[in-house]
Amino acid sequence: MTATHTPPTDALLSLRDVRVTFRTADGVITPVDGVSFDIARGETLALVGESGCGKSLTALTILRLIDAPGRIEAGSRILFEGRDVLTLPDKELRSIRGRQAAMIFQEPMTALNPVYSAGEQIAEVVRTHTKASRSEAWTRAVAMLGAVGISSPDIRAKQFPHQLSGGMRQRVMIAMALVLGPSLLIADEPTTALVVTIQAQLLDLLREAQQARGASMLLITHDLGVVAESAQRVAVMYAGQIVEEAPVTALFAAPQHPYTEGLMAAMPRAGSRRERLTTIPGTVPPPGAWPLACRFADRCAYAWSRCTIEAPPLHQLGHGRTSRCHLVEEPARRVAAQATAGAAS
Ligand code: SF4
């Protein structure tokens, strides 16, 4: 379901030309610059890219959680269950947040309130959005802690965030997100801060909970290994823009954008004997310092003169695929560059 200009009627969430600007001492910067995508009901879309690409800001924009001096520009559209989030009155927006769309953040210690117990924080979500009594909300909170794999949930519910391990805190965040059965989960690097075994457990938990409830998920990650296991489609973001979108299997079989190719080359592979992973040279330039034509040009192994003169459009490739790269029009260059690189290695 690659984004065309008109949002599909069966999409749960559609973003169209979303732009976020910040006024800084050096002028206006646009860290999210014309982002469009759709998420169908029950689907997981992974939004992938290095730190500083604009993924997290895009996620915050969906629930209008951008603080001043950030600004969502006119012309941006965010349709959630057919309603335009950007024009909703605050009261309706508050009822969507937490009840119909919930966020899971990377670092629960900053997202959880240190002065309330785990159970109180989950119960508070229930009481804010439903007519449940205090004791009913508490019962639901304890049950939810059990459902996300916390043992002795009645005891853990009375504990404060600092008394819980990192993995347990993230389970509490997931319980808060799931307790009202939202139709959309927005998970921003939900397991990055945890050790690998706990990461795998929590990703399984999220997948199972999502499937059991038929919810959709926007999964933000820099880790393509997580994408392969968790998502049906992937949108790759670089310097504020979507540069490639594809069904996951098609993306892994044949990435079209050189940035995606670079991310895949940097993925550790099971059984690989390579000691050093290939990395993409350089870093994501900050907003305001983006190259004027192709924003990836100064890191791209395939770049040629056109790439520094003309910004590539987002080409529609069919079968739900897009790529923001001139190689779509000049594929022979990729073949020639790969042959040269192969001969040199
Ligand atoms: Fe690389 Fe040119 Fe494609 Fe940009 S347009 S990604 S510089 S080949």
Side-chain angles (χ1 to χ4, degrees), residues 5 15 19 50 198 214:
H5 202 74
L15 272 66
R19 279 191 171 70
E50 295 161 287
I198 305 287

Side-chain angles (χ1 to χ4, degrees), residues 97-299:
R97 287 182 192 150
R99 186 181 183 108
Q100 289 158 279
M103 279 196 83
I104 300 166
F105 296 96
Q106 177 179 153
E107 185 30 83
M109 209 49 191
T110 50
L112 293 173
N113 191 326
V115 300
Y116 290 101
S117 72
E120 283 168 331
Q121 298 192 53
I122 302 167
E124 180 59 24
V125 175
V126 176
R127 288 193 22 96
T128 302
H129 292 282
T130 72
K131 295 193 168 80
S133 67
R134 223 168 256 286
S135 72
E136 285 165 348
W138 181 262
T139 303
R140 281 181 72 174
V142 173
M144 199 66 228
L145 285 174
V148 298
I150 292 190
S151 54
S152 309
D154 43 345
I155 295 169
R156 295 293 184 190
K158 294 178 189 145
Q159 294 185 321
F160 294 87
H162 74 270
Q163 296 173 297
L164 303 170
S165 68
M168 267 192 242
R169 285 197 290 266
Q170 196 55 298
R171 283 180 199 270
V172 172
M173 280 285 295
I174 292 173
M176 280 174 74
L178 294 177
V179 70
L180 295 176
S183 51
L184 176 68
L185 286 169
I186 302 171
D188 187 358
E189 304 274 10
T191 60
T192 301
L194 303 170
V195 296
V196 173
T197 46
I198 305 287
Q199 281 188 15
Q201 287 173 15
L202 288 189
L203 285 170
D204 284 347
L205 169 66
L206 264 181
R207 252 195 316 271
E208 283 162 19
Q210 178 207 3
Q211 282 164 7
R213 290 165 172 78
S216 307
M217 180 153 64
L218 176 63
L219 176 64
I220 293 164
T221 179
H222 65 278
D223 184 342
L224 280 173
V226 168
V227 173
E229 289 176 18
S230 304
Q232 285 87 51
R233 279 187 315 115
V234 54
V236 181
M237 202 163 173
Y238 186 78
Q241 297 178 319
I242 303 290
V243 294
E244 177 162 8
E245 189 183 330
V248 166
T249 44
L251 185 105
F252 280 95
Q256 293 301 305
H257 196 280
Y259 180 55
T260 316
E261 223 174 81
L263 291 177
M264 285 177 59
M267 258 177 91
R269 283 172 212 285
S272 168
R273 300 186 61 159
R274 279 187 304 163
E275 287 180 4
R276 298 189 63 195
L277 295 169
T278 313
T279 53
I280 305 171
T283 53
V284 186
W290 291 334
L292 289 177
C294 176
R295 295 180 183 179
F296 189 56
D298 54 357
R299 303 177 72 192

Side-chain angles (χ1 to χ4, degrees), residues 257-258 294 296-297 300 302-304 307 312 325-327:
H257 196 280
C294 176
F296 189 56
C300 180
Y302 301 106
W304 76 99
C307 308
C325 176
H326 292 313
L327 287 171

